[in-house]
C-alpha cells in the first residue's frame, strides 16, 4: 500500500499510512495574543459534529500507550490540547472498503487538530515528549461500558508496533 499524507495550508495536519473510510481530520483554530489563547474544539456547525453525548479528558504520561479500544456504537472526536500524542487507528471492520488500513496522526500543541473516529475502528494513542498529554474526546453518546471493547496494546492481531521508529 502506498504511503499517503494530507497537508493543509497553515496547519501541519499530517497522517502516515492509508486513509480510513469515515475518519475525518480537521485542523483547529487557535487565537493567540499577549493574554493567552483560545483553542477551538468542536462546534455544532462542524462537519464532524453529529450530536452531543459527553466530553471527557484522557491524560497520558510520556511513553505510555493507551490502546486498543473499539467503540461499537460511539463516534469519538479526539483533540489533544496539551502535550503531543501519536493517535493510531486501525480499520478492523470487515465490510469496510478500507479494511486493514492503518493511520498514524501526530497531534497536539504542535499539530492542533481533531480526529473523528466512527464506531468499529480500533484506536489508541501514545503520549510523547516531556509532559503529560491531555486528549479531549467529544463523543456523540454517553459512555456505556458494554459498547467498548478493549484489546491488549502489544499482544493482538493488529499489525502495529508502538516502539519509537528511528531514522
Amino acid at each position: 500500500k502506498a504511503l499517503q499524507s494530507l497537508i493543509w495550508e497553515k496547519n501541519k495536519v499530517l497522517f502516515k499510512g492509508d486513509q480510513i473510510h469515515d475518519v475525518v481530520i480537521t485542523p483547529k483554530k487557535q487565537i493567540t495574543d499577549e493574554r493567552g489563547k483560545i483553542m477551538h474544539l468542536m462546534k455544532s456547525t462542524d462537519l464532524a459534529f453529529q450530536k452531543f453525548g459527553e466530553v471527557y479528558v484522557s491524560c497520558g504520561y510520556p511513553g505510555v500507550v493507551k490502546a486498543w479500544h473499539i467503540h461499537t456504537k460511539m463516534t469519538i472526536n479526539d483533540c489533544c490540547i496539551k502535550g503531543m500524542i501519536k493517535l493510531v487507528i486501525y480499520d478492523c471492520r470487515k465490510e469496510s472498503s478500507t479494511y486493514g488500513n492503518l493511520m498514524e496522526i501526530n497531534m497536539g500543541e504542535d499539530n492542533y487538530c481533531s480526529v473523528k473516529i466512527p464506531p468499529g475502528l480500533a484506536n489508541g494513542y501514545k503520549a510523547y515528549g516531556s509532559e503529560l498529554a491531555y486528549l479531549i474526546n467529544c463523543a456523540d453518546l454517553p459512555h456505556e461500558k458494554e459498547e467498548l471493547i478493549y484489546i491488549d496494546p502489544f499482544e493482538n492481531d493488529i499489525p502495529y508496533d508502538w516502539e519509537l521508529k528511528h531514522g
Side-chain angles (χ1 to χ4, degrees):
K1 296 179 179 178
L3 186 66
Q4 299 175 355
S5 294
L6 294 180
I7 302 172
W8 277 270
E9 291 174 18
K10 293 185 181 178
N11 296 26
K12 295 179 183 175
V13 177
L14 302 172
F15 75 87
K16 293 179 184 175
D18 295 302
Q19 181 69 47
I20 295 175
H21 184 68
D22 293 329
V23 171
V24 179
I25 303 171
T26 306
K28 290 297 175 179
K29 189 173 183 180
Q30 296 188 63
I31 303 168
T32 61
D33 64 23
E34 68 273 10
R35 299 169 298 163
K37 64 181 172 180
I38 293 172
M39 300 170 76
H40 286 254
L41 178 65
M42 179 69 68
K43 297 179 186 177
S44 63
T45 55
D46 288 351
L47 292 175
F49 181 81
Q50 290 178 255
K51 64 181 181 176
F52 177 76
E54 75 171 355
V55 173
Y56 65 86
V57 179
S58 173
C59 298
Y61 291 110
V64 170
V65 175
K66 296 183 99 173
W68 293 96
H69 316 101
I70 301 173
H71 289 279
T72 60
K73 299 178 193 170
M74 182 187 291
T75 296
I76 61 177
N77 292 281
D78 282 344
C79 186
C80 183
I81 62 164
K82 182 81 174 143
M84 290 296 293
I85 68 166
K86 176 172 57 174
L87 176 66
V88 182
I89 307 166
Y90 177 69
D91 193 346
C92 49
R93 304 169 296 181
K94 291 187 177 169
E95 72 286 352
S96 172
S97 62
T98 56
Y99 174 72
N101 285 5
L102 194 129
M103 293 177 76
E104 285 184 347
I105 302 116
N106 291 295
M107 59 191 288
E109 292 176 282
D110 294 338
N111 185 29
Y112 190 57
C113 64
S114 69
V115 180
K116 175 184 173 184
I117 305 170
L121 298 176
N123 68 90
Y125 73 90
K126 180 178 181 179
Y128 63 92
S130 60
E131 62 184 336
L132 187 68
Y134 292 78
L135 179 68
I136 294 180
N137 175 12
C138 183
D140 70 338
L141 298 172
H143 175 75
E144 294 177 21
K145 188 176 181 179
E146 308 79 43
E147 72 88 40
L148 186 58
I149 300 167
Y150 291 100
I151 300 171
D152 185 278
F154 305 104
E155 296 182 20
N156 56 64
D157 294 330
I158 298 171
Y160 191 74
D161 180 1
W162 289 99
E163 290 300 313
L164 177 64
K165 295 163 186 68
H166 296 278

